[in-house]
Amino acid sequence: PAEVLKHEAADLPPGQEAPEIAPDDIKGPKGLQVARDALKRKVEPDTAMALAQQLFAAADDVSEDGAFLIADELAKKGNAQALLMLGDFYSPKQPQRGTIQKDTMANDCYKKALAAGAAEAQQRLDALK
């Protein structure tokens, strides 16, 4: 996340860089806080999605919940990759991620992701049948 957030320091005084974020800083509650901070700072969608993917890959429930927060926010804006990730959180055909309960919303998320240009959403839709 250090590389992802470093150029998103618009709210810092000129000349001051974003603090370094070590890989261990995205695990557990720290990862969730990094996600909340990114949303609060309204980072660019591509940056936020990259951060969500890093949190998703951290493979611990709290970090993955941070990824969910970011994906949920970006999905509201029609981001195809975020809709796909959100569908994966909800899908009973995908491994459990974070503390998000599986839900029938996966189908809707995948349909929206497909419409937004995520071709891989079709395979996930087919798996739900």
Side-chain angles (χ1 to χ4, degrees), residues 30-69:
K30 291 180 183 179
L32 186 57
Q33 188 58 48
V34 168
R36 287 180 177 145
D37 289 346
L39 291 172
K40 181 179 176 182
R41 291 174 47 224
K42 299 182 183 192
V43 298
E44 293 294 321
D46 289 343
T47 302
M49 195 62 223
L51 177 58
Q53 290 167 339
Q54 288 177 330
L55 291 167
F56 192 75
D60 74 77
D61 286 349
V62 180
S63 295
E64 291 170 346
D65 286 353
F68 176 85
L69 289 176

Side-chain angles (χ1 to χ4, degrees), residues 28-109:
K30 291 180 183 179
L32 186 57
Q33 188 58 48
V34 168
R36 287 180 177 145
D37 289 346
L39 291 172
K40 181 179 176 182
R41 291 174 47 224
K42 299 182 183 192
V43 298
E44 293 294 321
D46 289 343
T47 302
M49 195 62 223
L51 177 58
Q53 290 167 339
Q54 288 177 330
L55 291 167
F56 192 75
D60 74 77
D61 286 349
V62 180
S63 295
E64 291 170 346
D65 286 353
F68 176 85
L69 289 176
I70 294 171
D72 186 52
E73 187 63 31
L74 292 175
K76 291 174 186 172
K77 298 173 184 172
N79 182 293
Q81 290 305 309
L83 285 159
L84 191 63
M85 182 182 280
L86 210 56
D88 288 348
F89 271 104
Y90 289 128
S91 176
K93 300 294 184 178
Q94 295 290 324
Q96 179 65 39
R97 295 291 195 155
T99 61
I100 309 307
Q101 292 185 344
K102 300 299 181 178
D103 193 294
T104 57
M105 288 180 55
N107 192 53
D108 187 47
C109 290

